Amino acid sequence: MSARFSDQLVAVLPRLRRFARGLTGSAADADDLVQAACERALTREHQFQEGTRFDSWMFRIVQTIWIDQLRARDVRKEGGDVEDERMGSDAAVRSVEARLALAEVRRAVQRLPAEQRNVLMLVTVEGLSYKEAAEVAGVPVGTIMSRLARARVALLAKLDGGGPGRSKDDAEAN
């Protein structure tokens, strides 16, 4: 393994973990996903083309492994809230409200269809351009724009009144 390759891999790890957390909704599952992606990248280092974006290559590996895992499970069942809110803590009221809001956003993002969630994470969390996200997802730029627009509309609907009562079918209709 070249020093440059290992340096790039170490540098991209926090972003990969953040992306994987967005895909899986779980810190433990995200860590497993990133580990699998690193293992695959290390065994396929020879496939990386110098002069291309290393981070895009790694995001694509994470996304591919995630899709493979979803297909292997056949039907993915949500495990509920990953983090229970600590209402009895001594934290300030604003801190508790912020945690509740963050948990609500996480749940809303997890209820998005996978394609919309992936694009939302790549563009809004990872800061990739539409073109870069299109390369990672393997779809045209227009598809990225469309999925991102639908994801934003669905999130707004979920957070502005759709609330927890909305079903998965409602989200997919948006």
Side-chain angles (χ1 to χ4, degrees):
M1 173 175 50
S2 71
R4 179 166 162 71
F5 187 86
S6 63
D7 290 345
Q8 289 180 26
L9 185 59
V10 169
V12 79
L13 283 175
R15 293 177 64 203
L16 291 177
R17 188 168 189 273
R18 195 170 45 236
F19 178 57
R21 175 73 188 260
L23 294 176
T24 65
S26 159
D29 290 342
D31 288 343
D32 291 344
L33 184 57
V34 170
Q35 180 178 348
C38 289
E39 289 174 6
R40 185 170 292 178
L42 290 171
T43 60
R44 298 179 183 180
E45 177 183 0
H46 64 280
Q47 293 179 351
F48 177 68
Q49 298 174 0
E50 284 296 326
T52 62
R53 288 188 53 139
F54 185 80
D55 59 345
S56 293
W57 186 64
M58 287 302 301
F59 284 132
R60 182 69 177 173
I61 291 172
V62 169
Q63 182 177 345
T64 301
I65 292 172
W66 176 244
I67 289 168
D68 291 347
Q69 289 175 356
L70 288 178
R71 288 179 179 154
R73 291 180 198 164
D74 197 31
V75 175
R76 179 169 180 247
K77 295 184 180 178
E78 297 295 328
D81 294 336
V82 174
E83 298 178 17
D84 294 329
E85 298 302 328
R86 298 182 184 121
M87 295 300 290
S89 72
D90 294 331
V93 171
R94 285 184 290 185
S95 176
V96 172
E97 288 174 350
R99 288 181 186 180
L100 289 171
L102 180 59
E104 183 180 357
V105 169
R106 282 185 179 153
R107 284 189 299 270
V109 168
Q110 286 304 310
R111 288 193 311 261
L112 290 173
E115 295 84 11
Q116 292 177 13
R117 185 173 58 243
N118 292 350
V119 169
L120 186 71
M121 297 304 296
L122 289 170
V123 174
T124 62
V125 176
E126 294 305 325
L128 296 183
S129 69
Y130 291 169
K131 181 180 178 186
E132 293 165 340
E135 290 172 5
V136 170
V139 298
V141 173
T143 302
I144 293 295
M145 295 168 64
S146 175
R147 287 178 182 174
L148 185 59
R150 287 193 313 268
R152 288 176 173 160
V153 168
L155 273 179
L156 185 61
K158 289 174 189 317
L159 297 173
D160 279 349
R166 286 179 59 110
S167 70
K168 187 175 180 181
D169 294 332
D170 293 338
E172 291 174 351
N174 290 330

